[in-house]
């Protein structure tokens, strides 16, 4: 759910003259999928002017941070607002840069996949239910998502959806701590290589960078193989991710890479 901008607007008392009704409605949609559908219905929002307005909002938030904190927002609240605005800026900027590559709906869908992964597409009912479940990482969850990846291939789901399943599988494996640690790392690497073949740098640079960062973490933790080569591979993956994760555009990703 998305509540950050509403909180910011309330605290800053942003006027309707600052952003028009259409942009305001897009920013305050309840879910990311609703946000995507709203932009698909109003592609006029994908413009350089929208990018400039969001940049002004980011600048205003940074400048007014002491005031926002005094009015009851926490530092984490402000940080989340900035991250949310940067995410929306990336979506609009990506759409503007690629609007000559196809119809607006397809470009907008690609923009959301790039920003947030393949689960932004329409999912089959079984996967939507699975994706919505809240479950602690476990060996059972590893099996469930391994089976989900196999099923997605059998049903020939869209490639970005299959990549998103592989990323979810990696996240589960990374969080499990059992005696199968070595096996799990090898599974992580396989899942991430699978995702990186879909999330290419040319088509989905943000997802590509996230996948490279995760590959770096997996190779850093790898036990099998030549350790010097593992370290070199990990370092190369981290450096590749930083080619996309610029400090000003991705402050959290940059600091965590």
């Amino acid at each position: 759910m998305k509540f950050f901008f509403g909180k910011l607007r309330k605290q800053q008392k942003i006027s309707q003259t600052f952003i028009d009704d259409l942009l305001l409605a897009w920013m305050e949609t309840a879910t990311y999928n609703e946000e995507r559908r709203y932009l698909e219905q109003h592609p006029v929002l994908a413009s350089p002017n929208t990018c400039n307005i969001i940049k002004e909002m980011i600048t205003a938030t940074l400048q007014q941070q002491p005031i926002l904190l005094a009015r009851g927002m926490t530092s984490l609240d402000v940080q989340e607002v900035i991250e949310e605005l940067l995410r929306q800026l990336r979506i609009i900027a990506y759409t503007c840069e690629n609007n000559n590559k196809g119809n607006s709906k397809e470009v907008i869908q690609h923009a959301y996949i790039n920003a947030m992964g393949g689960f932004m597409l329409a999912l089959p009912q079984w996967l939507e239910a699975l994706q919505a479940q809240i479950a602690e990482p476990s060996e059972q969850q590893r099996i469930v998502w391994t089976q989900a990846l196999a099923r997605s291939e059998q049903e020939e789901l869209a490639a970005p959806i299959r990549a998103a399943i592989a990323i979810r599988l990696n996240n589960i494996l990374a969080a499990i701590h059992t005696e199968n640690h070595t096996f799990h790392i090898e599974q992580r690497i396989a899942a991430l290589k699978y995702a990186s073949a879909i999330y290419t740098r040319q088509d989905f640079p943000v997802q590509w960078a996230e996948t490279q960062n995760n590959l770096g973490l997996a190779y850093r933790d790898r036990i099998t193989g030549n350790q010097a080569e593992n370290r070199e591979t990990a370092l190369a993956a981290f450096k590749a991710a930083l080619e996309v994760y610029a400090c000003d555009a991705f402050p959290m990703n940059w600091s965590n890479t």
Side-chain angles (χ1 to χ4, degrees):
M1 302 295 286
K2 310 192 294 92
F3 303 106
F4 306 134
F5 179 69
K7 183 182 291 185
L8 172 68
R9 187 168 68 90
K10 180 179 179 181
Q11 294 289 354
Q12 288 183 313
K13 296 181 173 58
I14 297 174
S15 69
Q16 289 298 100
T17 58
F18 187 47
I19 49 175
D20 63 32
D21 292 341
L22 206 60
L23 180 56
L24 182 62
W26 175 66
M27 287 182 142
E28 293 192 323
T29 49
T31 69
Y32 295 125
N33 276 315
E34 288 179 23
E35 181 189 280
R36 173 182 54 79
R37 288 192 289 270
Y38 191 92
L39 188 58
E40 289 172 357
Q41 294 166 2
H42 304 90
V44 67
L45 283 170
S47 70
N49 182 57
T50 300
C51 289
N52 291 334
I53 291 174
I54 298 175
K55 289 176 182 177
E56 290 174 7
M57 294 174 66
I58 293 171
T59 300
T61 303
L62 292 170
Q63 292 175 343
Q64 296 184 32
Q65 183 167 344
I67 299 174
L68 296 173
L69 295 177
R71 289 178 178 170
M73 291 183 74
T74 67
S75 296
L76 181 59
D77 288 334
V78 176
Q79 180 178 311
E80 289 176 333
V81 167
I82 297 295
E83 287 293 318
E84 183 73 357
L85 289 171
L86 286 169
R87 180 191 64 80
Q88 291 177 324
L89 176 60
R90 288 193 288 271
I91 288 168
I92 296 297
Y94 182 101
T95 304
C96 290
E97 292 169 4
N98 294 277
N99 60 12
N100 62 339
K101 296 183 179 180
N103 68 57
S104 60
K105 183 176 180 179
E106 291 177 347
V107 173
I108 289 169
Q109 287 180 351
H110 268 245
Y112 274 87
I113 295 169
N114 180 56
M116 306 177 69
F119 288 145
M120 286 293 97
L121 294 176
L123 306 178
Q125 187 173 2
W126 67 268
L127 182 54
E128 188 172 349
L130 179 59
Q131 196 267 338
Q133 289 179 4
I134 301 176
E136 291 294 321
S138 64
E139 187 64 18
Q140 179 59 34
Q141 282 294 298
R142 179 193 70 79
I143 295 171
V144 166
W145 283 92
T146 299
Q147 292 172 342
L149 183 57
R151 182 173 177 179
S152 72
E153 292 179 323
Q154 292 171 355
E155 296 183 5
E156 298 183 345
L157 298 186
I161 296 176
R162 290 185 277 114
I165 294 173
I167 294 295
R168 179 65 63 87
L169 177 59
N170 164 74
N171 295 343
I172 291 169
L173 289 164
I176 298 175
H177 300 287
T178 69
E179 64 277 4
N180 294 325
H181 183 64
T182 300
F183 171 67
H184 287 168
I185 291 177
E186 297 307 306
Q187 278 201 313
R188 284 170 61 191
I189 292 172
L192 291 166
K193 287 183 176 180
Y194 181 98
S196 66
I198 297 169
Y199 288 153
T200 64
R201 181 171 182 174
Q202 179 178 359
D203 292 333
F204 306 108
V206 173
Q207 293 304 312
W208 175 83
E210 181 178 343
T211 304
Q212 292 303 306
N213 186 58
N214 283 328
L215 269 172
L217 294 173
Y219 273 102
R220 182 198 64 185
D221 297 339
R222 195 182 194 198
I223 298 171
T224 60
N226 183 289
Q227 293 305 296
E229 291 181 358
N230 288 340
R231 288 193 295 271
E232 289 177 4
T233 303
L235 183 59
F238 289 138
K239 287 182 176 179
L242 287 172
E243 292 175 6
V244 174
Y245 284 157
C247 182
D248 56 343
F250 301 87
M252 289 295 293
N253 304 88
W254 181 85
S255 64
N256 291 332
T257 301

